[in-house]
Amino acid sequence: MRNFFLAVFFSSLFSGNGLAATLPPAVSAALKHARIPLSAVAIVVQEEHGNTPILSLNGQQAMNPASTMKLLTTFAALETLGPAYRWKTEAYLNGKLEKGVLQGDLVFKGYGDPKLTVEQFWMWLRELRQRGLRDIRGDIVLDHSFFETVHNDPAEFDHDPSRAYNVGTNALLLNFNAMHLHLIPDGHNTIALLDPPLAGYTLHNHITTTATLDCHGKDAYQAHLDGHDIILEGTIPEICGEIDDYFSLLPQEEYFFAVFSALWQELGGTIQGKVHSGMVSPDQIPFAKYISPPLSEVIRDINKFSNNTMARQLFLTLGTVDMAKNAGNVETGRASRPAQKVLPTENKDQGGDLSPLQTLSESALAVEPEGESADADLAGALDATRPPAGNNTKTEKAPSSKLTTESTLSSDATPRREYPPGANITGSIAAMQQWLKTQHLQFPELVLENGAGLSRKERISALHLAELLQHATRSPFYAELAASLPILGMDGTVKKRFKDNGIAGYAHLKTGSLQGVKSIAGYVKARSGKQWIMVFIVNHPNAALAPAAQDALIEWLQTAH
């Protein structure tokens, strides 16, 4: 009989109906005002070292987490790759270099660097000039074979292919394949500044100003490509100041070549050929290498600014640890940590099915980007870019390089080292599942598509997201993960929440936002000195109104516990 009453108690504790009365009144009131039913909400609150949650509403229900899925991707990367992991990008000479003239092709090979920005690329090209390369009499060849080539439809997610967050993954991704547009009101007209420079393309600005638009309304302008002409059309508010936006119009190879050509000419170099794909022979020695910042810095951009492109690049990298070593990539820094004892939580074997409210339609899941601008993920990441403090390149003297496609033997028939197949999503999902298994983290409801949360398919429960955050507190890399999260009221995607409030600075929280989804998860430091883990996910058509309820829970935790 005693066991029966215990079972009834815990059943009511972890069910939505049993918890409704125990939600903080301000949270309940905010959800009611937003017309969001409790069945569309998942909440878990647990002390950092606690054994059971103090609040758990629909904790076991599989939910679309939006960008809070980046917590899983970035923490798994810290554990498997190590915080000191760095990506490399290589340059090869396919021909003879004499007196500054290359009689052949310049080849670039990428290994998935998530943040090879135009500033860093310019520094590296400057290094190539200093090493004696000036005139290129051949082509620019791009080797992006480290990632499997897949067709990416940038319009698939939300029918807006020009948005920078819809850029597909590429082992040789340059500057997020994005253009930065800066619009300056000038009477009835505007001045448009476009960066980076794109050789061979002309900007035509037809954007005007108007007094009828609201400063915080939807964009009333657009950019599109007509051959080699970039056309800007529409209107912006006349009294709301200057506007920054990010978009992607060019295919990745064309973008790379246009940026390279512009920068190379600025540096005094010349290029006579065109651009095409190819593969470097695995036994060739690079002319120069660029080494990225460490993973610990990269995940700050991913989490603070919710950069989807970088997160997707990182997720693919998770499946390449052995490949990276075989290809001579940068030292990963560590193997996966041994599992630690998992504290008791809810039954992990009960994944549950999606309720009708959580099976959101395609049209309801169009993207609703986070942050202060439509592409805040890129704005933050690019604003955070600074030229390296020192020379961030490594060079190796090399003769010429040979290109290969399917051949696996050199010209003298001597066996040589082969590249493994390119990384793909299937391999990265398998790597993630293997890591979870080694850590004794059983998430049966977990569904992964790209690891960034920019997905209609990805699922995880609030309980297991909280368990992941608790598991992270026992990791030697917890400090790196926590430091990568937005600081409440101070930076990242929570910069404006509780700004100039006594609570500002007392929480590190990752947000997630799609149309029909609002989520927030992370760590809250209470006045009592206790550290709390909170996860709050809403899957509902009125999810855009959920932040008031989430903020009420943060305030309740910080001030009353």
Side-chain angles (χ1 to χ4, degrees):
M1 183 63 69
R2 177 175 179 271
N3 290 339
F4 170 78
F5 283 113
L6 283 174
V8 171
F9 169 75
F10 282 109
S11 176
S12 65
L13 177 64
F14 293 128
S15 68
N17 293 335
L19 183 66
T22 63
L23 277 177
V27 177
S28 297
L31 288 172
K32 183 177 181 180
H33 184 263
R35 296 183 179 181
I36 298 173
L38 294 183
S39 59
V41 179
I43 299 174
V44 171
V45 174
Q46 184 166 333
E47 192 175 353
E48 180 181 18
H49 301 298
N51 291 340
T52 55
I54 64 167
L55 290 180
S56 181
L57 172 63
N58 301 321
Q60 295 178 341
Q61 179 63 58
M63 305 286 284
N64 186 323
S67 283
T68 54
M69 187 64 88
K70 293 180 175 73
L71 291 166
L72 175 60
T73 298
T74 52
F75 179 54
L78 283 172
E79 290 276 291
T80 57
L81 301 173
Y85 181 89
R86 295 172 184 261
W87 289 261
K88 69 178 179 180
T89 305
E90 299 170 333
Y92 294 81
L93 304 183
N94 184 33
K96 185 178 181 180
L97 176 63
E98 187 174 15
K99 297 182 179 180
V101 178
L102 173 62
Q103 299 291 347
D105 303 330
L106 176 61
V107 187
F108 292 98
K109 180 175 178 62
Y111 291 85
D113 188 343
K115 194 185 176 184
L116 178 56
T117 65
V118 67
E119 293 86 357
Q120 294 163 328
F121 191 52
W122 179 85
M123 292 284 288
W124 190 33
L125 295 185
R126 184 170 177 268
E127 170 76 14
L128 299 187
R129 286 286 288 113
Q130 290 175 335
R131 288 189 87 298
L133 179 60
R134 183 185 70 249
D135 301 326
I136 303 166
R137 300 292 172 85
D139 294 336
I140 298 299
V141 181
L142 308 182
D143 184 345
H144 36 72
S145 60
F146 195 68
F147 286 173
E148 184 179 273
T149 301
V150 295
H151 171 70
N152 175 67
D153 180 4
E156 180 182 5
F157 182 75
D158 59 1
H159 311 293
D160 194 351
S162 67
R163 285 299 183 187
Y165 53 73
N166 283 323
V167 170
T169 54
N170 192 303
L172 191 55
L173 182 69
L174 175 60
N175 203 55
F176 315 112
N177 206 62
M179 305 175 196
H180 174 204
L181 175 64
H182 186 71
L183 292 172
I184 306 170
D186 184 27
H188 180 64
N189 299 314
T190 63
I191 299 171
L193 307 179
L194 193 65
D195 189 67
L198 301 171
Y201 289 83
T202 303
L203 179 66
H204 301 273
N205 177 28
H206 304 298
I207 296 177
T208 58
T209 62
T210 178
T212 62
L213 288 179
D214 182 77
C215 290
H216 302 291
K218 293 184 178 180
D219 293 344
Y221 61 89
Q222 62 179 354
H224 64 91
L225 196 64
D226 183 7
H228 281 70
D229 293 324
I230 299 172
I231 312 297
L232 304 178
E233 296 176 318
T235 56
I236 64 171
E238 66 180 4
I239 61 172
C240 301
E242 301 177 4
I243 293 176
D244 288 281
D245 203 354
Y246 295 85
F247 56 91
S248 179
L249 296 178
L250 276 64
Q252 295 193 18
E253 285 192 1
E254 294 180 25
Y255 177 87
F256 190 105
F257 185 66
V259 173
F260 169 82
S261 298
L263 297 180
W264 193 245
Q265 291 166 17
E266 285 183 3
L267 291 168
T270 65
I271 170 73
Q272 293 186 1
K274 300 179 179 179
V275 63
H276 61 86
S277 297
M279 290 180 63
V280 175
S281 177
D283 55 0
Q284 298 303 312
I285 299 174
F287 176 65
K289 293 181 183 179
Y290 168 77
I291 305 300
S292 77
L295 174 65
S296 57
E297 293 184 21
V298 169
I299 65 169
R300 289 173 64 88
D301 287 335
I302 292 176
N303 285 331
K304 283 188 180 292
F305 306 111
S306 204
N307 190 297
N308 291 296
T309 304
M310 293 178 69
R312 294 171 70 177
Q313 292 279 116
L314 178 59
F315 187 66
L316 271 182
T317 302
L318 286 176
T320 70
V321 175
D322 292 335
M323 291 169 56
K325 291 179 180 178
N326 292 337
N329 208 357
V330 182
E331 180 66 35
T332 61
R334 68 180 284 104
S336 184
R337 267 193 322 119
Q340 298 179 351
K341 185 177 180 181
V342 180
L343 295 177
T345 55
E346 294 182 41
N347 185 353
K348 302 185 192 67
D349 297 327
Q350 300 176 7
D353 297 323
L354 293 178
S355 69
L357 284 173
Q358 291 151 352
T359 310
L360 301 179
S361 67
E362 242 178 60
S363 59
L365 270 175
V367 71
E368 180 184 309
E370 304 167 48
E372 300 181 18
S373 69
D375 289 293
D377 55 354
L378 280 183
L382 289 171
D383 288 346
T385 301
R386 296 290 184 272
N391 189 342
N392 207 28
T393 63
K394 292 186 178 181
T395 60
E396 299 179 23
K397 187 174 181 180
S400 63
S401 169
K402 297 179 181 179
L403 295 181
T404 181
T405 52
E406 298 178 358
S407 173
T408 57
L409 295 178
S410 59
S411 57
D412 60 358
T414 302
R416 69 186 182 194
R417 182 165 56 92
E418 298 180 24
Y419 284 132
N424 55 47
I425 291 294
T426 300
S428 293
I429 292 174
M432 178 68 78
Q433 294 290 1
Q434 179 60 33
W435 174 76
L436 289 170
K437 184 178 179 180
T438 64
Q439 301 304 303
H440 297 169
L441 296 172
Q442 301 175 34
F443 299 171
E445 82 292 351
L446 178 66
V447 178
L448 291 167
E449 183 180 25
N450 55 41
L454 188 69
S455 168
R456 303 180 185 91
K457 301 175 182 177
E458 293 197 327
R459 295 291 187 272
I460 193 171
S461 69
L463 178 69
H464 287 150
L465 199 50
E467 184 179 350
L468 178 81
L469 289 168
Q470 186 180 53
H471 191 79
T473 64
R474 303 190 292 274
S475 167
F477 308 131
Y478 168 63
E480 283 73 21
L481 178 69
S484 75
L485 303 181
I487 304 173
L488 187 65
M490 293 187 174
D491 69 8
T493 58
V494 294
K495 182 178 181 179
K496 293 185 176 181
R497 297 171 83 157
F498 292 99
K499 190 174 183 179
D500 301 323
N501 184 293
I503 298 176
Y506 282 91
H508 288 73
L509 298 163
K510 179 75 194 79
T511 60
S513 181
L514 300 172
Q515 187 173 337
V517 181
K518 277 288 184 180
S519 59
I520 191 165
Y523 306 98
V524 178
K525 188 77 169 181
R527 289 180 182 176
S528 65
K530 292 182 179 180
Q531 175 108 319
W532 295 94
I533 293 168
M534 71 160 281
V535 179
F536 195 139
I537 304 174
V538 176
N539 286 184
H540 189 268
N542 292 342
L545 303 176
Q550 295 171 344
D551 289 350
L553 182 61
I554 295 170
E555 187 168 11
W556 175 76
L557 266 180
Q558 207 281 324
T559 59
H561 287 75

